[in-house]
mmCIF file of all heavy atoms in Angstrom:
data_model
loop_
_atom_site.group_PDB
_atom_site.id
_atom_site.type_symbol
_atom_site.label_atom_id
_atom_site.label_comp_id
_atom_site.label_asym_id
_atom_site.label_seq_id
_atom_site.Cartn_x
_atom_site.Cartn_y
_atom_site.Cartn_z
ATOM 1 N N GLN A 1 0.825 -1.210 0.000
ATOM 2 C CA GLN A 1 0.000 0.000 0.000
ATOM 3 C C GLN A 1 0.861 1.263 0.000
ATOM 4 O O GLN A 1 0.449 2.317 0.503
ATOM 5 C CB GLN A 1 -0.966 0.018 1.178
ATOM 6 C CG GLN A 1 -2.089 -1.014 1.055
ATOM 7 C CD GLN A 1 -2.939 -0.786 -0.199
ATOM 8 O OE1 GLN A 1 -3.537 0.257 -0.374
ATOM 9 N NE2 GLN A 1 -2.973 -1.788 -1.079
ATOM 10 N N ALA A 2 2.060 1.154 -0.573
ATOM 11 C CA ALA A 2 2.944 2.304 -0.744
ATOM 12 C C ALA A 2 3.288 2.430 -2.221
ATOM 13 O O ALA A 2 3.406 1.422 -2.932
ATOM 14 C CB ALA A 2 4.215 2.142 0.084
ATOM 15 N N PRO A 3 3.452 3.650 -2.715
ATOM 16 C CA PRO A 3 3.806 3.816 -4.124
ATOM 17 C C PRO A 3 5.273 3.504 -4.374
ATOM 18 O O PRO A 3 6.113 3.637 -3.478
ATOM 19 C CB PRO A 3 3.504 5.296 -4.389
ATOM 20 C CG PRO A 3 3.716 5.954 -3.063
ATOM 21 C CD PRO A 3 3.284 4.944 -2.035
ATOM 22 N N GLU A 4 5.573 3.113 -5.609
ATOM 23 C CA GLU A 4 6.937 2.808 -6.016
ATOM 24 C C GLU A 4 7.196 3.438 -7.376
ATOM 25 O O GLU A 4 6.298 3.517 -8.212
ATOM 26 C CB GLU A 4 7.150 1.291 -6.101
ATOM 27 C CG GLU A 4 6.976 0.575 -4.776
ATOM 28 C CD GLU A 4 7.033 -0.946 -4.904
ATOM 29 O OE1 GLU A 4 7.115 -1.441 -6.052
ATOM 30 O OE2 GLU A 4 6.989 -1.618 -3.867
ATOM 31 N N GLY A 5 8.421 3.882 -7.600
ATOM 32 C CA GLY A 5 8.765 4.450 -8.892
ATOM 33 C C GLY A 5 9.832 5.527 -8.768
ATOM 34 O O GLY A 5 10.319 5.836 -7.674
ATOM 35 N N PHE A 6 10.206 6.100 -9.900
ATOM 36 C CA PHE A 6 11.284 7.075 -9.945
ATOM 37 C C PHE A 6 10.940 8.332 -9.156
ATOM 38 O O PHE A 6 11.767 8.838 -8.384
ATOM 39 C CB PHE A 6 11.594 7.421 -11.408
ATOM 40 C CG PHE A 6 12.806 8.293 -11.585
ATOM 41 C CD1 PHE A 6 14.042 7.902 -11.106
ATOM 42 C CD2 PHE A 6 12.709 9.504 -12.252
ATOM 43 C CE1 PHE A 6 15.165 8.699 -11.274
ATOM 44 C CE2 PHE A 6 13.822 10.307 -12.443
ATOM 45 C CZ PHE A 6 15.055 9.903 -11.953
ATOM 46 N N ASP A 7 9.726 8.861 -9.319
ATOM 47 C CA ASP A 7 9.325 10.028 -8.534
ATOM 48 C C ASP A 7 9.413 9.731 -7.042
ATOM 49 O O ASP A 7 9.847 10.578 -6.255
ATOM 50 C CB ASP A 7 7.887 10.431 -8.874
ATOM 51 C CG ASP A 7 7.766 11.126 -10.218
ATOM 52 O OD1 ASP A 7 8.777 11.624 -10.732
ATOM 53 O OD2 ASP A 7 6.648 11.159 -10.760
ATOM 54 N N VAL A 8 8.977 8.549 -6.672
ATOM 55 C CA VAL A 8 8.994 8.144 -5.266
ATOM 56 C C VAL A 8 10.426 8.112 -4.741
ATOM 57 O O VAL A 8 10.721 8.602 -3.636
ATOM 58 C CB VAL A 8 8.319 6.769 -5.105
ATOM 59 C CG1 VAL A 8 8.480 6.251 -3.680
ATOM 60 C CG2 VAL A 8 6.846 6.856 -5.484
ATOM 61 N N GLU A 9 11.347 7.573 -5.539
ATOM 62 C CA GLU A 9 12.743 7.487 -5.112
ATOM 63 C C GLU A 9 13.379 8.872 -4.998
ATOM 64 O O GLU A 9 14.190 9.112 -4.099
ATOM 65 C CB GLU A 9 13.533 6.614 -6.086
ATOM 66 C CG GLU A 9 13.148 5.147 -6.050
ATOM 67 C CD GLU A 9 13.318 4.541 -4.671
ATOM 68 O OE1 GLU A 9 14.422 4.638 -4.101
ATOM 69 O OE2 GLU A 9 12.333 3.982 -4.140
ATOM 70 N N ILE A 10 13.031 9.778 -5.902
ATOM 71 C CA ILE A 10 13.555 11.137 -5.806
ATOM 72 C C ILE A 10 13.079 11.790 -4.508
ATOM 73 O O ILE A 10 13.848 12.469 -3.809
ATOM 74 C CB ILE A 10 13.121 11.975 -7.025
ATOM 75 C CG1 ILE A 10 13.762 11.425 -8.308
ATOM 76 C CG2 ILE A 10 13.491 13.442 -6.828
ATOM 77 C CD1 ILE A 10 15.271 11.465 -8.326
ATOM 78 N N ALA A 11 11.823 11.582 -4.165
ATOM 79 C CA ALA A 11 11.305 12.127 -2.907
ATOM 80 C C ALA A 11 12.029 11.522 -1.708
ATOM 81 O O ALA A 11 12.305 12.219 -0.720
ATOM 82 C CB ALA A 11 9.804 11.873 -2.807
ATOM 83 N N LYS A 12 12.353 10.235 -1.777
ATOM 84 C CA LYS A 12 13.093 9.596 -0.681
ATOM 85 C C LYS A 12 14.489 10.190 -0.531
ATOM 86 O O LYS A 12 14.998 10.336 0.592
ATOM 87 C CB LYS A 12 13.195 8.091 -0.925
ATOM 88 C CG LYS A 12 11.894 7.332 -0.790
ATOM 89 C CD LYS A 12 12.127 5.855 -1.097
ATOM 90 C CE LYS A 12 10.846 5.050 -1.091
ATOM 91 N NZ LYS A 12 11.101 3.626 -1.448
ATOM 92 N N ILE A 13 15.122 10.514 -1.647
ATOM 93 C CA ILE A 13 16.445 11.143 -1.594
ATOM 94 C C ILE A 13 16.360 12.479 -0.868
ATOM 95 O O ILE A 13 17.203 12.811 -0.022
ATOM 96 C CB ILE A 13 17.004 11.317 -3.023
ATOM 97 C CG1 ILE A 13 17.370 9.960 -3.633
ATOM 98 C CG2 ILE A 13 18.234 12.236 -3.015
ATOM 99 C CD1 ILE A 13 17.767 10.021 -5.094
ATOM 100 N N ILE A 14 15.333 13.274 -1.185
ATOM 101 C CA ILE A 14 15.142 14.566 -0.526
ATOM 102 C C ILE A 14 14.882 14.376 0.964
ATOM 103 O O ILE A 14 15.472 15.068 1.811
ATOM 104 C CB ILE A 14 13.986 15.329 -1.194
ATOM 105 C CG1 ILE A 14 14.351 15.658 -2.650
ATOM 106 C CG2 ILE A 14 13.647 16.603 -0.421
ATOM 107 C CD1 ILE A 14 13.176 16.123 -3.486
ATOM 108 N N ALA A 15 14.010 13.434 1.297
ATOM 109 C CA ALA A 15 13.699 13.178 2.706
ATOM 110 C C ALA A 15 14.938 12.753 3.472
ATOM 111 O O ALA A 15 15.153 13.185 4.615
ATOM 112 C CB ALA A 15 12.615 12.104 2.806
ATOM 113 N N ALA A 16 15.761 11.904 2.863
ATOM 114 C CA ALA A 16 16.967 11.414 3.539
ATOM 115 C C ALA A 16 17.901 12.559 3.902
ATOM 116 O O ALA A 16 18.526 12.561 4.971
ATOM 117 C CB ALA A 16 17.686 10.401 2.650
ATOM 118 N N GLU A 17 18.010 13.557 3.020
ATOM 119 C CA GLU A 17 18.871 14.701 3.300
ATOM 120 C C GLU A 17 18.286 15.608 4.374
ATOM 121 O O GLU A 17 18.994 16.425 4.948
ATOM 122 C CB GLU A 17 19.128 15.488 2.017
ATOM 123 C CG GLU A 17 19.975 14.750 0.998
ATOM 124 C CD GLU A 17 21.356 14.407 1.527
ATOM 125 O OE1 GLU A 17 21.974 15.277 2.188
ATOM 126 O OE2 GLU A 17 21.821 13.279 1.286
ATOM 127 N N LEU A 18 17.007 15.456 4.631
ATOM 128 C CA LEU A 18 16.365 16.177 5.732
ATOM 129 C C LEU A 18 16.453 15.402 7.044
ATOM 130 O O LEU A 18 15.970 15.870 8.080
ATOM 131 C CB LEU A 18 14.889 16.437 5.395
ATOM 132 C CG LEU A 18 14.612 17.466 4.309
ATOM 133 C CD1 LEU A 18 13.171 17.350 3.821
ATOM 134 C CD2 LEU A 18 14.891 18.876 4.813
ATOM 135 N N GLY A 19 17.032 14.208 6.990
ATOM 136 C CA GLY A 19 17.127 13.365 8.169
ATOM 137 C C GLY A 19 15.869 12.584 8.449
ATOM 138 O O GLY A 19 15.642 12.142 9.583
ATOM 139 N N ILE A 20 15.040 12.392 7.425
ATOM 140 C CA ILE A 20 13.746 11.718 7.585
ATOM 141 C C ILE A 20 13.821 10.305 7.024
ATOM 142 O O ILE A 20 14.217 10.105 5.870
ATOM 143 C CB ILE A 20 12.635 12.532 6.883
ATOM 144 C CG1 ILE A 20 12.492 13.893 7.550
ATOM 145 C CG2 ILE A 20 11.307 11.769 6.899
ATOM 146 C CD1 ILE A 20 11.552 14.832 6.828
ATOM 147 N N GLU A 21 13.431 9.343 7.835
ATOM 148 C CA GLU A 21 13.420 7.947 7.422
ATOM 149 C C GLU A 21 12.315 7.695 6.401
ATOM 150 O O GLU A 21 11.281 8.369 6.394
ATOM 151 C CB GLU A 21 13.204 7.026 8.626
ATOM 152 C CG GLU A 21 14.269 7.104 9.693
ATOM 153 C CD GLU A 21 15.548 6.355 9.324
ATOM 154 O OE1 GLU A 21 15.509 5.610 8.318
ATOM 155 O OE2 GLU A 21 16.543 6.515 10.043
ATOM 156 N N GLU A 22 12.540 6.687 5.567
ATOM 157 C CA GLU A 22 11.566 6.347 4.531
ATOM 158 C C GLU A 22 10.199 6.035 5.107
ATOM 159 O O GLU A 22 9.166 6.444 4.548
ATOM 160 C CB GLU A 22 12.086 5.149 3.738
ATOM 161 C CG GLU A 22 11.154 4.604 2.696
ATOM 162 C CD GLU A 22 11.716 3.364 2.042
ATOM 163 O OE1 GLU A 22 12.936 3.154 2.101
ATOM 164 O OE2 GLU A 22 10.913 2.591 1.479
ATOM 165 N N ASP A 23 10.154 5.319 6.228
ATOM 166 C CA ASP A 23 8.860 4.929 6.784
ATOM 167 C C ASP A 23 8.159 6.081 7.495
ATOM 168 O O ASP A 23 7.036 5.923 7.995
ATOM 169 C CB ASP A 23 8.993 3.723 7.716
ATOM 170 C CG ASP A 23 9.939 3.964 8.885
ATOM 171 O OD1 ASP A 23 10.400 5.112 9.062
ATOM 172 O OD2 ASP A 23 10.218 2.998 9.627
ATOM 173 N N ALA A 24 8.807 7.259 7.537
ATOM 174 C CA ALA A 24 8.173 8.439 8.121
ATOM 175 C C ALA A 24 7.603 9.368 7.052
ATOM 176 O O ALA A 24 7.190 10.481 7.365
ATOM 177 C CB ALA A 24 9.162 9.194 8.996
ATOM 178 N N ILE A 25 7.610 8.903 5.801
ATOM 179 C CA ILE A 25 7.006 9.671 4.716
ATOM 180 C C ILE A 25 5.553 9.230 4.570
ATOM 181 O O ILE A 25 5.255 8.043 4.429
ATOM 182 C CB ILE A 25 7.745 9.449 3.388
ATOM 183 C CG1 ILE A 25 9.214 9.856 3.517
ATOM 184 C CG2 ILE A 25 7.069 10.231 2.262
ATOM 185 C CD1 ILE A 25 10.049 9.492 2.299
ATOM 186 N N GLU A 26 4.647 10.189 4.589
ATOM 187 C CA GLU A 26 3.245 9.907 4.273
ATOM 188 C C GLU A 26 3.023 10.215 2.799
ATOM 189 O O GLU A 26 3.255 11.329 2.342
ATOM 190 C CB GLU A 26 2.306 10.761 5.122
ATOM 191 C CG GLU A 26 0.833 10.525 4.798
ATOM 192 C CD GLU A 26 -0.105 11.452 5.531
ATOM 193 O OE1 GLU A 26 0.377 12.266 6.354
ATOM 194 O OE2 GLU A 26 -1.330 11.382 5.278
ATOM 195 N N TRP A 27 2.561 9.206 2.049
ATOM 196 C CA TRP A 27 2.341 9.365 0.615
ATOM 197 C C TRP A 27 0.873 9.690 0.366
ATOM 198 O O TRP A 27 -0.010 8.982 0.844
ATOM 199 C CB TRP A 27 2.717 8.086 -0.131
ATOM 200 C CG TRP A 27 4.136 7.668 0.100
ATOM 201 C CD1 TRP A 27 4.579 6.684 0.939
ATOM 202 C CD2 TRP A 27 5.305 8.231 -0.504
ATOM 203 N NE1 TRP A 27 5.942 6.599 0.897
ATOM 204 C CE2 TRP A 27 6.423 7.528 0.013
ATOM 205 C CE3 TRP A 27 5.519 9.249 -1.440
ATOM 206 C CZ2 TRP A 27 7.733 7.827 -0.375
ATOM 207 C CZ3 TRP A 27 6.818 9.542 -1.821
ATOM 208 C CH2 TRP A 27 7.899 8.843 -1.300
#
């Protein structure tokens, strides 16, 4: 029940640089 794809991965890269874990992203 989570999205997957290139846009999603780019958002994860941004979140990681903010110190935010992947499982703390609400899609």
